[in-house]
Amino acid sequence: MKIRKPIFPAVKGILHGGDYNPEQWLDRPDILKKDVELMKEAGINSASLGIFSWSVYEPREGEFNFDWLEEIINNLYENGIYTILATPSGARPAWLDAKYPEAMRVDAYGVRNRHGLRHNHCMTSPEYRKKVEIIDGKIAERFANHPGILMWHISNEFGGECYCDLCRKKFQEYLADRYDHNIENLNTAWWTTFWSHRYTSFDQIDPPYSNGENCVLCQTLDWKRFTTENTRDFMKFEIDTVHRFNKDIPVTANFMEIYDGLDYHNMAPELDYMSWDSYPKLHNDYEPVWETALRTAFSHSLFRSMKPDRPFMLMESAPGVVNWQEVNKVRRPGFHKLMGMQAVASGTDTVQYFQIRKSRGSSEQFHGAVIDHMGTNETRVFKEVADLGQVLKNISEVAGSIADNKVALIWDWDNRWAVEDVRYLSQESKKFDDTCIDIWKALMKLGVEADIIPQDGDFSKYKVIIAPMMYLLHDGVGDKIKSFVSDGGQFMATYFTGYVDKSTLCYLGGFPGQGLSEVFGLVSEEIDALYPTDRNSIKPVKGANAKEASRLEVKDYQELIRVKGSEVLAVYENDYVKDEAAITRNTLGKGRAYYVGCRLNASDMEFIFEEMLENAGVEYGKLPVGVEYHSRFAEDNRYDFYLNFSDEAVEIQCRAGLELVTGTKTDSTLKLEGRGVAVVKSK
């Protein structure tokens, strides 16, 4: 039984709201009054305040003004609208940089940035931290016990690196701790004898400057690990500051999709709830809209999976249009509801926007908002937001329910960074993210949603695990995989698995390392990178769960596999690897380990996925093109979500129950209109 755990019990349903910047309109009380009226009409029950308000809070050093904020919070609360209150550290006032220049970051060439933009600050700077502690403390002291405050929003979209002398010193200290204060441990891990790069003390080590050392792969990886740890430390410092005044208020920080610069898995333990900002490139000219939507669902799954025992939060999304993409396309009618409901289907208890009212000027003045420059309820976007607000009320009982997926895909930042940085394969076609996302999408088209977990995550709740391109292995992962398979799990790996350890040192004795050669019953002898004009294919052999006559195109990479006990499911048809194994299956204990030694279209691997799901007893079934399926659970209730991203009506087999959007009963068949959504509640 899944216990219902709503994020905000006081709200009694799904949180609907977004970033609100009333400090831009303090000279227009008429606009502030109208905003509240329109928020209520749109079904908005929350506002995120203070995200970029530092220069208004503290216009001059030591001079504070929070009266305007208190008036706004009180007025919102009296009108049934709760506040998520942010710490304002994401953008500093000009007076701070003028007096404390060390607060500004230094770039990878060692040049200090100038004042401006956002997140242009050094998180190591003692002076910057002092100023953040003061402003955060002042805000928390005044508002931490206000009944309208639901949550602390810590800073905004953490990101970026600083290469100043303070960060250089802190990096050296980080390395000394990581390598037990023994420089020879670092020299071994970094393989510094190559190119005569050995160090004799930690204080000789620089960050990977663009005009310095940037060819030691483990140094680059350790720098990214350090940047994450430094950011996590700064985030925790802010959390500790506001919690001094009320520890019962939960905290979150809004993250940025699968952002390359930080390991969000490392930062997640400090937060009560995960949240992220979603800005898909809908209606582009290179893929159907439902494929773009599935990519967004992948990110929802990533953040949900970081804290699987509770809902996550959609902190930002765009009502209408964004203004900073290559092509700023307006969302077509119906897609606002679809994308909001997709987030809820994936496990969020919030649908929030950037922003509630459009800014009149500056860089995001044309970014979508609930309330347009027109300032009325007459716009298409406002009406679609209000429509979604009503739907969220209709399905309010979903709040607090969680997913219960039995399939997982392994994706983590350490491995991603190592794959991107390795001098091997083809720099143009590695496409680690796309490879993982395409496999995840192929499972979704079979009606199976997979959690997305790091290799250090908990395998115990899953029956099927897929690990694309798991090039870098953390300590003990090989034993985890062996135990998972031996106990009855179905595990699939691909080419480029188990080549290096956590220091990016190659395993000796054959790939994949850490005993995985025995798990998969093979050795990968070499891997070949293919030009786009190269041609090869594989053919499933008799006994494989696929048509024997089918031929599957190989692209980008092919491994030469030496079979050592595994069954061959497919062989190459051309090139020097002709008739060699391309896909294998190895029985180990109660389970099976599959290995795909070449890159295929994800859809061409369906026969493997289907076999694994059948072996594991996991339900699946192909969905109509353009339709997504998700499920959430609470107590003895099940909530099945169906979203039709196509323009055509479809008929879907479903469980009998109550359809919550319309309040009508359903039998075993559901008709879903084009761009339609449905939520079927069953026991």
Side-chain angles (χ1 to χ4, degrees):
M1 177 182 291
K2 301 295 180 183
I3 304 301
R4 193 182 300 273
K5 297 179 181 178
I7 299 179
F8 306 114
V11 174
K12 295 182 174 60
I14 304 295
L15 200 74
H16 189 213
D19 290 15
Y20 183 45
N21 304 292
E23 64 270 29
Q24 298 175 17
W25 306 97
L26 294 180
D27 62 338
R28 293 292 304 272
D30 57 320
I31 285 179
L32 296 177
K33 181 175 183 293
K34 185 66 173 178
D35 285 348
V36 174
E37 295 172 2
L38 291 172
M39 285 187 222
K40 292 169 70 174
E41 185 178 341
I44 285 175
N45 54 23
S46 76
S48 300
L49 299 177
I51 297 168
F52 299 117
S53 302
W54 195 340
S55 64
V56 182
Y57 289 154
E58 191 179 7
R60 283 164 287 278
E61 185 175 14
E63 179 184 315
F64 299 99
N65 177 17
F66 301 114
D67 291 345
W68 67 271
L69 180 63
E70 184 166 13
E71 184 178 343
I72 294 291
I73 292 173
N74 287 341
N75 189 37
L76 291 172
Y77 184 60
E78 290 165 5
N79 282 276
I81 301 170
Y82 289 89
T83 293
I84 294 176
L85 190 55
T87 63
S89 60
R92 305 173 314 288
W95 62 257
L96 195 155
D97 285 345
K99 187 171 181 180
Y100 307 102
E102 72 168 44
M104 293 183 287
R105 285 183 184 168
V106 170
D107 69 17
Y109 286 94
V111 178
R112 190 171 298 280
N113 295 341
R114 302 186 69 84
H115 173 74
L117 303 176
R118 299 180 299 167
H119 290 290
N120 178 18
H121 51 260
C122 172
M123 296 183 195
T124 305
S125 163
E127 292 296 343
Y128 179 60
R129 288 196 176 211
K130 285 179 188 176
K131 293 305 169 187
V132 170
E133 184 174 20
I134 290 169
I135 193 68
D136 287 2
K138 292 283 187 182
I139 295 167
E141 183 178 25
R142 182 145 179 179
F143 298 105
N145 295 298
H146 193 291
I149 304 298
L150 290 176
M151 173 177 274
W152 292 117
H153 176 322
I154 304 300
S155 197
N156 182 73
E157 295 183 340
F158 286 111
E161 305 162 301
C162 179
Y163 293 79
C164 73
D165 288 341
L166 292 169
C167 289
R168 176 179 180 271
K169 179 64 175 175
K170 196 169 183 179
F171 180 48
Q172 292 166 352
E173 293 168 353
Y174 168 83
L175 294 174
D177 289 341
R178 183 174 179 85
Y179 293 103
D180 299 324
H181 295 267
N182 185 329
I183 195 65
E184 290 308 317
N185 290 344
L186 178 142
N187 281 322
T188 299
W190 288 14
W191 210 248
T192 55
T193 304
F194 184 76
W195 282 3
S196 194
H197 284 165
R198 290 178 59 78
Y199 297 100
T200 57
S201 67
F202 287 98
D203 61 12
Q204 296 169 348
I205 301 171
D206 285 336
Y209 291 116
S210 294
N211 55 354
E213 179 56 81
N214 52 39
C215 288
V216 176
L217 300 185
C218 193
Q219 177 190 21
T220 303
L221 185 56
D222 277 345
W223 171 253
K224 291 178 178 178
R225 291 164 172 161
F226 160 75
T227 299
T228 294
E229 190 56 45
N230 200 29
T231 305
R232 170 178 167 152
D233 178 68
F234 182 84
M235 183 180 73
K236 187 176 186 302
F237 153 75
E238 286 208 74
I239 293 170
D240 291 344
T241 300
V242 297
H243 270 173
R244 287 205 301 266
F245 299 91
N246 188 340
K247 290 186 176 180
D248 294 331
I249 297 179
V251 296
T252 192
N254 58 326
F255 294 137
M256 300 177 288
E257 201 168 2
I258 47 177
Y259 171 65
D260 183 63
L262 296 171
D263 181 349
Y264 292 156
H265 286 124
N266 178 280
M267 300 176 71
E270 304 297 343
L271 300 168
D272 295 304
Y273 295 97
M274 299 304 295
S275 66
W276 79 286
D277 300 343
S278 174
Y279 296 104
K281 297 179 180 179
L282 294 173
H283 317 298
N284 59 62
D285 65 352
Y286 52 83
E287 65 182 354
V289 69
W290 51 83
E291 296 286 354
T292 312
L294 277 172
R295 190 178 184 94
T296 301
F298 176 91
S299 292
H300 287 318
S301 187
L302 172 65
F303 288 99
R304 180 194 66 238
S305 301
M306 291 185 200
K307 290 187 179 291
D309 64 335
R310 65 198 73 178
F312 70 98
M313 298 176 66
L314 174 61
M315 182 62 76
E316 290 183 21
S317 59
V321 67
V322 301
N323 76 321
W324 43 261
Q325 291 175 350
E326 297 90 344
V327 177
N328 297 300
K329 197 81 171 172
V330 169
R331 285 189 180 180
R332 280 5 189 195
F335 278 90
H336 181 78
K337 181 193 294 184
L338 276 168
M339 297 309 294
M341 288 296 288
Q342 182 197 58
V344 177
S346 299
T348 185
D349 265 10
T350 76
V351 178
Q352 297 163 274
Y353 312 116
F354 183 85
Q355 51 193 326
I356 289 180
R357 174 178 275 276
K358 275 188 180 179
S359 299
R360 191 175 181 192
S362 202
S363 65
E364 292 186 298
Q365 70 190 108
F366 291 109
H367 193 290
V370 178
I371 304 170
D372 196 78
H373 295 130
M374 289 174 61
T376 74
N377 61 359
E378 298 172 359
T379 65
R380 177 176 69 87
V381 168
F382 183 90
K383 292 175 181 178
E384 291 206 20
V385 170
D387 181 35
L388 176 59
Q390 184 58 55
V391 171
L392 295 178
K393 288 179 182 178
N394 294 348
I395 67 166
S396 60
E397 68 173 85
V398 168
S401 60
I402 59 176
D404 187 27
N405 299 318
K406 300 305 180 186
V407 178
L409 183 140
I410 293 179
W411 184 99
D412 58 52
W413 272 269
D414 248 20
N415 182 55
R416 178 201 204 193
W417 289 332
V419 170
E420 289 175 348
D421 205 34
V422 65
R423 274 62 164 172
Y424 198 29
L425 306 181
S426 164
Q427 295 304 114
E428 297 297 321
S429 64
K430 288 178 185 175
K431 297 180 180 177
F432 173 73
D433 290 346
D434 288 342
T435 300
C436 293
I437 292 170
D438 286 348
I439 289 174
W440 189 88
K441 287 161 64 174
L443 290 168
M444 282 290 288
K445 292 170 185 177
L446 290 174
V448 175
E449 183 171 13
D451 287 349
I452 300 163
I453 62 174
Q455 56 185 280
D456 294 329
D458 181 9
F459 290 4
S460 63
K461 66 169 286 191
Y462 302 107
K463 296 181 178 181
V464 175
I465 297 178
I466 298 173
M469 298 178 72
M470 195 164 61
Y471 163 70
L472 178 148
L473 299 179
H474 285 181
D475 294 345
V477 170
D479 289 338
K480 279 180 61 176
I481 295 172
K482 182 177 181 180
S483 295
F484 174 79
V485 177
S486 297
D487 292 342
Q490 309 291 307
F491 194 96
M492 190 191 97
T494 74
Y495 53 93
F496 214 44
T497 288
Y499 279 46
V500 300
D501 66 11
K502 65 183 179 183
S503 299
T504 69
L505 295 180
C506 287
Y507 288 107
L508 302 180
F511 304 143
Q514 269 197 37
L516 290 180
S517 286
E518 289 74 30
V519 172
F520 293 104
L522 54 79
V523 171
S524 172
E525 185 172 320
E526 57 190 34
I527 185 167
D528 187 21
L530 306 179
Y531 285 100
T533 53
D534 288 334
R535 293 288 179 267
N536 202 352
S537 59
I538 66 170
K539 181 180 180 180
V541 301
K542 188 173 182 179
N545 188 15
K547 294 179 180 178
E548 293 178 35
S550 63
R551 285 174 171 78
L552 310 178
E553 180 187 358
V554 174
K555 56 183 182 179
D556 298 334
Y557 303 113
Q558 59 188 22
E559 279 184 329
L560 175 62
I561 293 172
R562 301 303 185 194
V563 172
K564 294 184 177 292
S566 59
E567 304 171 70
V568 177
L569 299 185
V571 296
Y572 293 106
E573 291 197 295
N574 300 295
D575 207 356
Y576 79 106
V577 291
K578 182 177 180 180
D579 297 329
E580 298 286 355
I583 301 176
T584 64
R585 174 181 61 207
N586 194 44
T587 300
L588 183 68
K590 300 177 184 176
R592 287 177 167 180
Y594 296 78
Y595 194 90
V596 179
C598 54
R599 179 170 287 176
L600 306 170
N601 291 323
S603 59
D604 287 341
M605 293 188 281
E606 274 188 4
F607 74 98
I608 307 172
F609 303 149
E610 290 175 353
E611 181 177 316
M612 295 172 73
L613 295 169
E614 289 168 7
N615 292 343
V618 176
E619 291 183 11
Y620 73 93
K622 272 195 174 181
L623 293 169
V625 173
V627 174
E628 275 186 37
Y629 165 75
H630 306 260
S631 59
R632 295 178 64 166
F633 300 83
E635 282 81 44
D636 60 347
N637 293 318
R638 175 188 186 116
Y639 303 96
D640 290 328
F641 290 75
Y642 299 92
L643 303 105
N644 185 5
F645 285 89
S646 78
D647 294 332
E648 305 299 323
V650 294
E651 198 167 81
I652 297 171
Q653 298 300 307
C654 68
R655 291 173 174 81
L658 178 65
E659 202 288 299
L660 297 180
V661 175
T662 60
T664 59
K665 290 184 178 180
T666 64
D667 53 22
S668 59
T669 302
L670 175 70
K671 185 175 181 181
L672 200 59
E673 298 297 330
R675 306 185 187 184
V677 298
V679 184
V680 178
K681 173 186 176 182
S682 61
K683 294 294 182 182

